[in-house]
Amino acid sequence: MNPETKLEELLIDAEADDEGVQHTPPVVSRPWLLIMGLILVAMNLRPALSSLSPLLSAVSDSLGLSAAKAGLLTTLPVLCLGLFAPLAPLLARRFGAERVVLGILLTLAGGITLRSAFGEVGLFAGSLIAGASIGIIGVLLPGIVKRDFAKQAGTMTGVYTMALCLGAALAAGATVPLSHYFGDSWSVGLGFWIVPALVAALFWLPQVGQKHGAHQVAYRVKGLLRDPLAWQVTLYMGLQSSLAYIVFGWVPSILIDRGLSATDAGLALSGSIIVQLLSALTAPWLATRGKDQRLAIVVVMLLTLAGLFGCLYAPLEGLWGWAVLLGLGQGGTFSLALTLIVLRSRDSHVAANLSGMAQGIGYTLASMGPLAVGLVHDWTGGWAAVGWIFAVIGVGAIVAGLGAGRALYVGVSSEKV
């Protein structure tokens, strides 16, 4: 299969081991309603993460949180992305993917409510619940898209990516103005994001009960954990994600301490996320024009590091230029991480299992980045030393990417059971 064809499979199906799902044509009675539901659900997979960072200083001051505790607060949701991702296919096989998505959307809304209205305990418990919810939906949603829109997988990949970025950008840019509008209440600013979660649940409700094919476990893949190439893909996914969640969790706080208002810091993050769309949609296409993906991996990671160092050290007059570089880099690193999962797999069953490994282990690893930033800031009382964290993670991602970007397949295959 050539690279252009394989890029049509960027939406990895978490239930690819279910033969019935693979071979039974889906029944979609109202595709426009499904598309609207998918877009609204996808838009809710980032606001719980990106809405907190512009208000992190206000939340910390209000509740008396140390930088270490604030670091833990930014780490918990990301950690849960990895820890709870493996539950998604198990829940889907038992209850059906559509029912699970609806139930977890309500759980997400509950987590957002908890963290915004019940003090420090609620803040941490709600962040944990929100992260777990996002981790489960984030694994299931691409599979639903791929199953029900198999002939439009490439187009729907772009729609899915745009919805993710739009949700993150809206939350990053609008949370502080919302909190100001409601009497400088960070609680209302964070709690507002329960509204799009409930709206998404309302639009998703018609999908529950629809018949999309029987679930029958028919394939298994063994040996991924012993394969070096699989680990290189996983490490690249985890390390580039670590930088992404450092940006979500800490860059607004860095910019505020450098002299920006909370509103301007949130807008800078929002703008950077919007720019990610350009490279997220083009980087995979460009990366498959050459013999492998190593050059593309190095280029997008260097853009990411340049943007991060610019936001941390360069004069604020040029901030928007650095924010654009950061967005171009991070949009490319994320989309290439997804691309590598497909290109390094011989078939969809291997890809589904490699995706589970890369997300489960990778996101768990990624959670250590935001925690490390909080600890270093707490120890040093400033942000200058955080640049070393950026450098170590970035170099590690390049090293892992140089291995993962080679034109090889992981040394495992799927077998029918």
Side-chain angles (χ1 to χ4, degrees):
M1 188 181 293
N2 64 52
E4 290 184 24
T5 303
K6 296 199 80 170
L7 282 179
E8 293 297 304
E9 298 181 3
L10 273 174
L11 296 170
I12 301 298
D13 191 346
E15 300 173 88
D17 292 344
D18 294 4
E19 189 172 82
V21 173
Q22 295 296 306
H23 295 95
T24 302
V27 178
V28 182
S29 58
R30 289 173 290 181
W32 67 269
L33 187 58
L34 175 57
I35 291 172
M36 180 63 71
L38 288 167
I39 291 172
L40 290 173
V41 174
M43 286 179 64
N44 280 277
L45 298 185
R46 292 296 179 266
L49 305 174
S50 62
S51 62
L52 177 62
S53 55
L55 287 174
L56 190 58
S57 296
V59 173
S60 298
D61 291 343
S62 173
L63 298 178
L65 301 181
S66 66
K69 278 190 174 182
L72 181 60
L73 188 59
T74 61
T75 297
L76 267 180
V78 185
L79 180 62
C80 290
L81 293 181
L83 294 180
F84 286 84
L87 284 179
L90 301 177
L91 290 171
R93 287 179 185 127
R94 181 169 178 82
F95 302 105
E98 289 73 26
R99 287 190 181 90
V100 174
V101 170
L102 178 62
I104 299 301
L105 274 174
L106 298 177
T107 304
L108 173 61
I112 294 172
T113 302
L114 191 60
R115 77 171 187 169
S116 62
F118 292 92
E120 183 176 339
V121 173
L123 188 66
F124 282 90
S127 296
L128 189 152
I129 293 171
S133 302
I134 294 167
I136 293 172
I137 296 177
V139 172
L140 290 180
L141 203 62
I144 294 173
V145 173
K146 183 177 179 180
R147 180 197 63 199
D148 292 341
F149 298 96
K151 294 182 180 179
Q152 300 87 25
T155 301
M156 291 305 296
T157 300
V159 172
Y160 177 71
T161 304
M162 289 176 66
L164 285 175
C165 291
L166 181 59
L170 284 173
T175 299
V176 173
L178 282 168
S179 68
H180 288 334
Y181 183 80
F182 290 100
D184 289 326
S185 171
W186 62 262
S187 177
V188 175
L190 292 181
F192 172 82
W193 301 102
I194 188 178
V195 175
L198 293 176
V199 170
L202 183 64
F203 273 83
W204 189 255
L205 186 60
Q207 305 308 320
V208 176
Q210 297 267 352
K211 292 185 177 180
H212 295 276
H215 296 262
Q216 179 181 357
V217 178
Y219 291 86
R220 71 180 172 199
V221 174
K222 290 184 175 180
L224 272 180
L225 292 176
R226 297 189 298 272
D227 187 87
L229 182 57
W231 276 104
Q232 289 164 344
V233 172
T234 297
L235 287 173
Y236 178 73
M237 170 64 87
L239 291 170
Q240 67 82 26
S241 295
S242 187
L243 289 178
Y245 291 115
I246 287 173
V247 170
F248 279 150
W250 285 111
V251 163
S253 294
I254 292 172
L255 295 176
I256 290 168
D257 284 355
R258 293 196 64 202
L260 257 63
S261 68
T263 299
D264 288 341
L267 289 174
L269 176 59
S270 179
S272 181
I273 295 169
I274 288 293
V275 171
Q276 289 184 23
L277 284 173
L278 297 175
S279 53
L281 297 176
T282 58
W285 184 84
L286 291 173
T288 55
R289 305 269 78 79
K291 63 178 182 178
D292 58 38
Q293 291 71 52
R294 288 178 290 184
L295 176 60
I297 286 168
V298 172
V299 169
V300 294
M301 187 52 65
L302 289 178
L303 286 174
T304 298
L305 289 175
L308 282 170
F309 285 125
C311 290
L312 184 59
Y313 298 121
L316 289 177
E317 289 76 12
L319 174 63
W320 278 97
W322 298 115
V324 168
L325 280 183
L326 179 60
L328 290 174
Q330 292 204 300
T333 58
F334 176 67
S335 59
L336 283 179
L338 297 180
T339 304
L340 291 176
I341 292 171
V342 173
L343 297 181
R344 300 292 85 90
S345 303
R346 293 184 184 276
D347 58 50
S348 63
H349 308 292
V350 173
N353 283 268
L354 181 57
S355 178
M357 176 180 174
Q359 291 188 68
I361 298 175
Y363 285 144
T364 303
L365 172 65
S367 68
M368 298 300 103
L371 179 61
V373 170
L375 291 174
V376 168
H377 177 56
D378 210 17
W379 290 335
T380 63
W383 297 107
V386 169
W388 287 101
I389 298 176
F390 297 162
V392 169
I393 296 175
V395 170
I398 289 174
V399 171
L402 288 174
R406 296 171 296 163
L408 302 172
Y409 290 117
V410 294
V412 299
S413 58
S414 59
E415 58 181 25
K416 196 170 182 179
V417 296

